[in-house]
Amino acid sequence: MSRVLAAVAWPYANGPRHIGHVSGFGVPSDVFSRYMRMAGHDVLMVSGTDEHGTPIQVQADAEGVTPRELVDRYNRVIVEDLHGLGLSYDLFTRTTTGNHYRVVQELFQGLYDNGYIIAKTTLGAISPSTGRTLPDRYIEGTCPICGYDSARGDQCDNCGNQLDPDQLIDPRSKINGETPEFVETEHFFLDLPAFADQLNAWLDTRDGWRPNVLKFSRNLIDDLQPRAITRDLEWGVPIPLDGWRGRDDKRIYVWFDAVIGYLSASIEWARRSGDPDAWRQWWQDPEAQGYYFMGKDNIVFHSVIWPSILLGYSSPEAGSLGALNLPTEVVSSEYLTMEGRKFSSSRRVVIYVRDFLERYDADALRYFIAVAGPESNDTDFTWAEFRRRNNDELVAGWGNLVNRSISMAAKNFGEIPAAGELTAEDERLLAAVRAGFDSVGRLLGKHRQKAAITEAMRIVGEVNKYFSDQAPWKLKEDKARMGTVLHVALQAVRDCNTLLTPFLPHAAQKIHGLLGGTGVHAPMPEIVEVEDLDNGRSYPVLTGDYTVGAKWEHVAIEPGTPLAAPTPVFRKLDESIVEEELARLEP
Ligand SMILES: [Zn+2]
C-alpha cells in the first residue's frame, strides 16, 4: 500500500462545465482514484474551483455583479456538475478560502526568502486622460503571437498565451478607446531559469510518462524566462511583503495561486479531518506518489512551473511547511471536439454537464469518455457515436449479460444457485475473468484507461459467448446443470462488475444490489456545506468516505442469496435523440 495524491486540475469558475472539460481532467482522475483505492492504496484526491484573475473580473463587470458574487454562483454550479458525475474527491474546495490565501502567501514568502522571486521594473499601462493605472483587463489589442485582434492585456483567449499589456499591437483602452501610455511599474517575477538544470535532471528520472508530455516539457525548459507572478488587478491574493500587503491595485497572478491549490486543498482536508498534519503523508513522505491530471493546455504549469515552485520553496532553506515532494507523473489528456468542432459556449457548440445529466445517465458519459475520450489523441464526440456505443456496447453487451443471467436465475431458482461439478469450459471462463484483475488493473495503474476498459469489455464478451454457448434456457430438463451454468455466469458477472466499478460506479452499485448484495459497493461523493476555517464565508465542498466499498479482487458469490427479477441497468437510446441533439447546436 502506498499513499497516492490525485491532484486534479482546477476548473475556472466562470461558468458551468461542459463535457470537454470533464473528459480531460474529471473522469480520468476519478477512474484512477477509484481503482487505486480498490487496490488498497491510500488516495487523497483534491481540487477546487479556480476563482481569481482577470477573466472573472471582466465577466463580473459585464454582469454588474462583484467577482465574489460571480464565483459564489459558479463554484456551486461546478460542485453540482462534478457531484452529478460521481467524481470521488476527498476534498473539492475553492481558491477564495482563508486557508488558500495563507498557503499561497506562505509559498510566495518562502520563494522570496530563497531569492527566487525578483522584483523587476516593467511597463504598466495608464490612461492618458485620467492618469490612473489601467488594469490588464481594460487593455485590448492584437496578439503578437497569433494576430487575434481582441487579445487582453494579460492573455490571448485565441491562442492561450500569456501576455503583457505592452506586448499588444495597437493597444487600446476598453473604457474609452484611447491608446494607453506605458509607464514604469514594479512587478514580481519567478526566476524560472534558475531551475532549468534541476528540472532537466528531474525529467531524466521520469519514466512511464506519456511521451508527448515529456517532449513538450523539455522544449519548454530550453526556453525558460522569468515569469511575472503579480498583475495590475484588484481581484486576487494580496502580495505578502511589507509595502505591498495593503495595496489594492496589485495582486498575485491567478496562475501562481491556482497551482498552489493542490497543496492548500490537502492542508484544508487535513485541518477538517481533525489531524492538521495529515497532509504531510502525501507531500513529504518520499514514498508517497503524486499524479496530476489536466488537459494539454495546462502541461506547462504542472511539469515546469509547479515543480519550480516546489523546488524553490524546499531549498536551499525549506519554508515553514517543510520541503515538499515533486510530482510523480503529469497525466495530460488531449482535446475533445464536438461534431468536428471546438467547444465554444458563445457559439453554442457545447454540451453542459448539467444538461447532459438531465437527459442521460452519468455512467453513459463516463463510458464514452473512457472508451473513446481524448486520452492520447484529440477525439470527437458525436451524438451518433455516443448512441452507438451506449446501445451496442453498454446496453447490448454488459447490460444484457447482467439482465439475462440474473433474470433467468431469479425465474428458475429465486436465488443464486449452487454449482455442481464444473466442466472445462466453466473453469476456463472463471479463470479468464479472474485474470482481468491483473490485466485491467495493470493498465489502470499506467493511466491506459482506454485499453483497460476495452480489456474489461472483451472479458464481458467472453462471458456473453459462454452464456450463449451453454444456452441454459435449453437445460430445463437438467436443472442441476442449468444451476451450474447460471452460477458460473453470475460469478463472472460479479467479478466483471468489480472490474468495471472504477468506470461505471453508479451502475456497479445497482448491479451489486441486483446480485443480492447490501451496503456500499461504489462509494459516492456528497455535497457538504462547510464553514470557512479562517472566518470567511461558508461554501459547499465535495467530499466522501471512500474507505468503504468493493476491493479489487475476486469475491465468491453465495449460493442461496435471494434474487429478484432485475430492472434494466442501462437505457437504450432512441435514434431520434441524434437529430434532437444536433438541433440544439447552432448550425
Ligand atoms: Zn494569440
Side-chain angles (χ1 to χ4, degrees):
M1 190 203 73
S2 53
R3 304 216 187 262
V4 173
L5 174 73
V8 190
W10 289 56
Y12 200 54
N14 62 343
R17 291 304 90 180
H18 61 59
I19 66 168
H21 292 132
V22 295
S23 68
F25 69 88
V27 172
S29 61
D30 184 61
V31 170
F32 176 74
S33 296
R34 284 181 179 275
Y35 162 69
M36 293 302 269
R37 290 189 191 109
M38 290 174 76
H41 300 287
D42 203 346
V43 175
L44 181 64
M45 176 175 169
V46 292
S47 185
T49 40
D50 173 8
E51 304 188 351
H52 293 122
T54 311
I56 294 282
Q57 177 86 57
V58 168
Q59 193 171 330
D61 291 349
E63 294 186 19
V65 298
T66 65
R68 181 77 211 200
E69 286 167 332
L70 189 84
V71 298
D72 278 352
R73 185 200 312 158
Y74 287 122
N75 161 256
R76 202 166 284 275
V77 164
I78 292 168
V79 162
E80 286 166 5
D81 288 346
L82 305 182
H83 178 257
L85 288 166
L87 305 185
S88 57
Y89 293 95
D90 290 281
L91 183 68
F92 184 89
T93 177
R94 59 196 305 195
T95 58
T96 49
T97 65
N99 177 75
H100 180 71
Y101 275 47
R102 293 200 329 191
V103 175
V104 169
Q105 292 179 331
E106 166 59 26
L107 264 73
F108 188 105
Q109 186 71 54
L111 286 161
Y112 184 81
D113 292 345
N114 279 338
Y116 293 118
I117 289 180
I118 40 187
K120 277 179 51 163
T121 302
T122 63
L123 291 176
I126 59 165
S127 158
S129 56
T130 66
R132 283 210 213 104
T133 303
L134 263 179
D136 299 333
R137 70 178 181 284
Y138 289 127
I139 306 159
E140 212 173 59
T142 300
C143 172
I145 297 162
C146 74
Y148 178 60
D149 65 2
S150 308
R152 270 195 327 262
D154 64 338
Q155 181 179 314
C156 171
D157 284 338
N158 188 54
C159 66
N161 281 291
Q162 294 185 2
L163 304 171
D164 290 318
D166 65 302
Q167 291 179 289
L168 293 174
I169 301 162
D170 296 330
R172 58 197 174 269
S173 160
K174 279 175 81 173
I175 298 168
N176 56 16
E178 67 187 352
T179 304
E181 231 171 70
F182 288 96
V183 297
E184 294 197 331
T185 181
E186 218 178 7
H187 274 293
F188 291 101
F189 285 70
L190 183 61
D191 187 10
L192 290 171
F195 301 103
D197 291 345
Q198 289 181 82
L199 289 171
N200 271 321
W202 170 64
L203 286 178
D204 284 343
T205 66
R206 303 294 93 199
D207 27 78
W209 284 30
R210 292 177 183 162
N212 59 330
V213 181
L214 218 43
K215 182 158 174 255
F216 183 75
S217 307
R218 286 194 189 285
N219 289 342
L220 292 169
I221 295 169
D222 288 344
D223 194 26
L224 280 182
Q225 304 293 327
R227 197 150 173 153
I229 56 170
T230 55
R231 290 319 275 190
D232 290 316
L233 177 71
E234 312 88 326
W235 176 239
V237 180
I239 299 162
L241 302 177
D242 291 341
W244 293 85
R245 205 174 275 115
R247 292 185 66 163
D248 59 9
D249 60 336
K250 304 261 182 197
R251 287 288 181 269
I252 291 177
Y253 209 158
V254 59
W255 66 257
F256 183 84
D257 101 63
V259 287
I260 295 172
Y262 301 118
L263 177 62
S264 71
S266 302
I267 292 175
E268 181 184 342
W269 170 84
R271 291 175 71 192
R272 293 192 182 283
S273 78
D275 175 6
D277 284 324
W279 63 273
R280 296 183 187 279
Q281 299 169 347
W282 283 271
W283 286 88
Q284 296 182 323
D285 179 346
E287 297 297 308
Q289 300 165 38
Y291 296 90
Y292 289 72
F293 294 85
M294 76 222 62
K296 64 179 164 188
D297 49 338
N298 275 322
I299 293 175
V300 61
F301 293 105
H302 296 85
S303 66
V304 174
I305 294 178
W306 179 228
S308 298
I309 295 172
L310 292 165
L311 287 166
Y313 181 79
S314 302
S315 67
E317 190 94 41
S320 67
L321 294 171
L324 302 166
N325 287 351
L326 291 176
T328 305
E329 185 170 348
V330 170
V331 187
S332 153
S333 66
E334 306 288 306
Y335 291 141
L336 186 72
T337 54
M338 178 177 172
E339 302 286 348
R341 292 186 282 173
K342 262 183 92 168
F343 278 94
S344 159
S345 309
S346 55
R347 274 172 286 149
R348 289 206 306 161
V349 184
V350 72
I351 312 162
Y352 290 114
V353 170
R354 52 192 39 230
D355 295 340
F356 189 98
L357 294 181
E358 260 176 36
R359 302 195 282 277
Y360 311 100
D361 296 329
D363 283 3
L365 179 57
R366 293 178 63 115
Y367 179 75
F368 184 92
I369 290 171
V371 77
E375 180 177 276
S376 52
N377 303 94
D378 291 351
T379 55
D380 195 32
F381 178 94
T382 68
W383 284 104
E385 180 67 355
F386 168 68
R387 175 176 172 270
R388 186 190 73 74
R389 293 225 180 240
N390 180 78
N391 288 1
D392 294 0
E393 297 172 11
L394 214 44
V395 177
W398 178 222
N400 185 40
L401 173 64
V402 170
N403 190 66
R404 59 181 179 156
S405 58
I406 296 177
S407 64
M408 196 169 296
K411 194 169 142 208
N412 290 284
F413 297 89
E415 60 179 34
I416 294 178
E421 204 174 323
L422 299 183
T423 65
E425 285 91 276
D426 299 343
E427 300 274 18
R428 198 175 312 130
L429 181 81
L430 291 171
V433 174
R434 284 172 74 157
F437 288 99
D438 191 45
S439 59
V440 178
R442 203 147 15 86
L443 292 164
L444 280 171
K446 287 196 256 172
H447 310 288
R448 295 188 53 204
Q449 298 187 357
K450 195 175 283 201
I453 196 162
T454 302
E455 168 68 359
M457 292 301 279
R458 183 193 64 75
I459 295 169
V460 166
E462 279 199 42
V463 186
N464 262 320
K465 182 172 183 309
Y466 167 88
F467 202 86
S468 302
D469 289 351
Q470 299 298 320
W473 54 90
K474 289 186 188 157
L475 296 171
K476 292 254 156 44
E477 306 306 313
D478 184 356
K479 205 89 189 280
R481 177 62 193 155
M482 184 197 225
T484 301
V485 169
L486 289 171
H487 180 97
V488 169
L490 291 173
Q491 179 64 62
V493 166
R494 173 78 171 78
D495 286 342
C496 285
N497 194 40
T498 306
L499 296 177
L500 288 165
T501 297
F503 303 102
L504 310 171
H506 304 87
Q509 181 67 46
K510 230 167 165 177
I511 293 167
H512 174 72
L514 293 176
L515 286 167
T518 54
V520 175
H521 174 87
M524 284 295 161
E526 49 179 354
I527 300 174
V528 180
E529 200 75 23
V530 296
E531 296 296 322
D532 188 284
L533 294 166
D534 305 275
N535 303 320
R537 294 152 40 150
S538 67
Y539 52 94
V541 298
L542 272 181
T543 186
D545 175 8
Y546 311 114
T547 59
V548 294
K551 298 277 168 258
W552 192 256
E553 63 192 12
H554 157 81
V555 174
I557 51 173
E558 292 266 351
T561 306
L563 292 178
T567 49
V569 179
F570 302 106
R571 290 191 288 164
K572 196 167 176 189
L573 299 175
D574 203 81
E575 198 173 346
S576 64
I577 71 121
V578 175
E579 277 196 23
E580 280 164 30
E581 293 292 350
L582 288 174
R584 292 177 210 267
L585 298 178
E586 199 165 86

